[in-house]
Amino acid sequence: MRDIAHFVNGQTLVGASGRFGDVYNPNTGEVQARVQLATADELDAAVQLAAKAQIGWAATNPQRRARVMFEFKRLLERDMNSLAEILSSEHGKVIADSKGDLQRGLEVIEFACGIPHILKGEYTEGAGPGIDVYSMRQPLGVCAGITPFNFPAMIPMWMFGISIAVGNTFILKPSEKDPTVPVKLAELMMEAGAPAGVLNVVHGDKVCVDAILTHPLIRAVSFVGSSDIAHYVYQTGTAHGKRVQAMGGAKNHGVVLPDADLDQVVKDLSGAAFGSAGERCMALPVVVPVGKKTADELRERMVAEIETLQIGVSSDPAAHYGPVVSAAHRDKIADYIRIGVEEGAELVVDGRDFALQGFEKGFFIGPSLFDNVKKGMKTYQEEIFGPVLQMVRAESFEEALSLPSEHPYGNGVAIFTRNGRAAREFASRVNVGMVGINVPIPVPVAYHTFGGWKRSAFGDTNQHGVEGVKFYTKVKTVTARWPEGETEDSAFVIPTMK
Ligand code: NAD
């Protein structure tokens, strides 16, 4: 059995905890490797080395740090195919989707290549008599990232791409379900010229997470995962004096107005609800057609579209989506479908009995469609995170607007319409952090920022873009005076600019 070790201070580090997590191949259902789970002492040893490395790295000029990012980008592009294959074999998403996962992370690295420009501070000459004021952004020290299973490449790069470029060193604690690609990324960062200790990967579970959240040398923690854990990470990390951003779960709605191009909506919904087996925080698992005619037509077309979907192993280029990440997760999705039926929603397409010939032990589940889902239902309120599309019928624009606005999650939302005025009003009034207008998965580009509202994010800075730079740096403001020579009297009154 292959063991997946930590990567600390530029080297593979075999852990001594004696604790392991199973890493499956979701296509076959077999355990393909074991990942080591760190102790608090092992985490501490990595942090001490990262703290030592940070001094020299912060003193490296920003252009040199950017050159490492440029080289990392080149290496990632070189290895894109092999990384995508590994990613798919642990996660279960199809290869093209794994390449998308890598590519979206790479775009944050491209943004980080411009860090010398972004880090330039502000300067005011002559703010007072002989007084100049300037500010600069300085790195925090050692920062940490705790990431989910569903984007094992993109989300780590959201975090370490920015954090390292601004002069921090980084401890990445990736998901224990698909940990190989994060280690490969750290190896590539060393190959790109980052000094040892700049990017470290420490695998683990709650023991390691708690050690991160309470470690005195870790200044900032970025988390992405489910909402209850995100809330816990936020509360524990901030209670220990850290800057924390913690992104949580989602239940994104797609509102379909009667004038929308339904052919396009069906295609968009199909990809956004069932792509990656629904295991995306920006998936569209809820569709809200406005008016009975729109709903009936959409339902009929959606059923026909679902019949065309192909589920296959992650290496099958013809497959639209592959298996989900684990047997437990597949069973949880199936359980939500059972509950939905019990709650009185109408199960139009039932994907529970799907089995892939020759891969009966794989973690596959077919696409499901519910109609007449109501606001109060548990299956509407909670995140299912699987290939299940729920239709909630609305009678008016106002009702459709109120559904995502009042939902406890507020990550993303989409509206489909040809009416610019309605779309504009929707985008302005909806109580959700990221909005798509005829865009089903509105993940912002790397130089904007990513972040939801309500239970989808705790903390007040988003991921990547300029917000990411702010999260990973602190501002220092210098007020400098160069007197002409005469000694001035003491001033006992607060100085002001008259
Ligand atoms: P998860 O919350 O189970 O795990 C996330 C991380 O937390 C992992 O590194 C895991 O090891 C750690 N963890 C798990 N249990 C813990 C505990 N009890 N204490 C401390 N740490 C713990 O999430 P997941 O299943 O890996 O990922 C799916 C979830 O992530 C979904 O809810 C999805 O919506 C969310 N997600 C959100 C975003 C976003 O940007 N808002 C992006 C991707 C995924």
Side-chain angles (χ1 to χ4, degrees), residues 138-268:
Q138 295 191 327
L140 304 178
V142 182
C143 299
I146 301 160
T147 53
F149 81 84
N150 70 326
F151 281 99
M154 175 184 81
I155 294 178
M157 283 190 266
W158 282 358
M159 300 174 180
F160 73 67
I162 309 280
S163 182
I164 288 176
V166 301
N168 299 302
T169 51
F170 203 78
I171 306 280
L172 172 64
K173 203 302 286 171
S175 170
E176 61 276 38
K177 294 188 179 118
D178 43 14
T180 300
V181 167
V183 174
K184 298 270 176 213
L185 296 178
E187 288 170 356
L188 285 186
M189 192 59 87
M190 297 303 113
E191 192 182 338
V198 166
L199 177 56
N200 310 278
V201 179
V202 180
H203 302 289
D205 52 8
K206 185 174 179 350
V207 172
C208 184
V209 170
D210 285 345
I212 288 171
L213 297 176
T214 54
H215 199 291
L217 283 182
I218 294 181
R219 307 291 180 206
V221 177
S222 184
F223 173 91
V224 177
S226 52
S227 288
D228 287 347
I229 313 281
H231 192 211
Y232 168 77
V233 164
Y234 184 76
Q235 286 185 313
T236 313
T238 51
H240 286 83
K242 294 176 203 327
R243 198 176 276 191
V244 181
Q245 53 175 200
M247 277 57 194
K251 190 86 176 184
N252 306 326
H253 295 52
V255 170
V256 184
L257 297 191
D259 69 349
D261 173 355
L262 277 197
D263 289 335
Q264 188 60 53
V265 169
V266 165
K267 293 287 173 204
D268 286 348

Side-chain angles (χ1 to χ4, degrees), residues 76-93:
L76 199 60
E77 282 164 347
R78 181 196 70 188
D79 292 356
M80 178 73 82
N81 290 339
S82 59
L83 288 169
E85 273 171 33
I86 298 169
L87 199 160
S88 286
S89 79
E90 291 185 356
H91 176 286
K93 62 174 83 173

Side-chain angles (χ1 to χ4, degrees), residues 415-490:
I415 184 165
F416 300 93
T417 178
R418 290 185 170 98
N419 183 332
R421 207 179 168 77
R424 185 172 183 272
E425 183 167 348
F426 183 86
S428 164
R429 288 173 58 197
V430 73
N431 186 20
V432 170
M434 291 174 280
V435 183
I437 297 175
N438 299 314
V439 171
I441 306 182
V443 179
V445 291
Y447 43 96
H448 283 260
T449 71
F450 184 106
W453 289 3
K454 299 181 280 183
R455 268 181 66 70
S456 294
F458 304 89
D460 52 14
T461 45
N462 280 358
Q463 299 277 347
H464 64 70
V466 174
E467 289 254 315
V469 175
K470 285 187 179 160
F471 180 74
Y472 287 114
T473 54
K474 54 195 173 193
V475 179
K476 183 178 281 175
T477 308
V478 180
T479 305
R481 185 174 66 144
W482 300 98
E484 292 201 358
E486 302 237 327
T487 305
E488 293 177 14
D489 287 341
S490 307

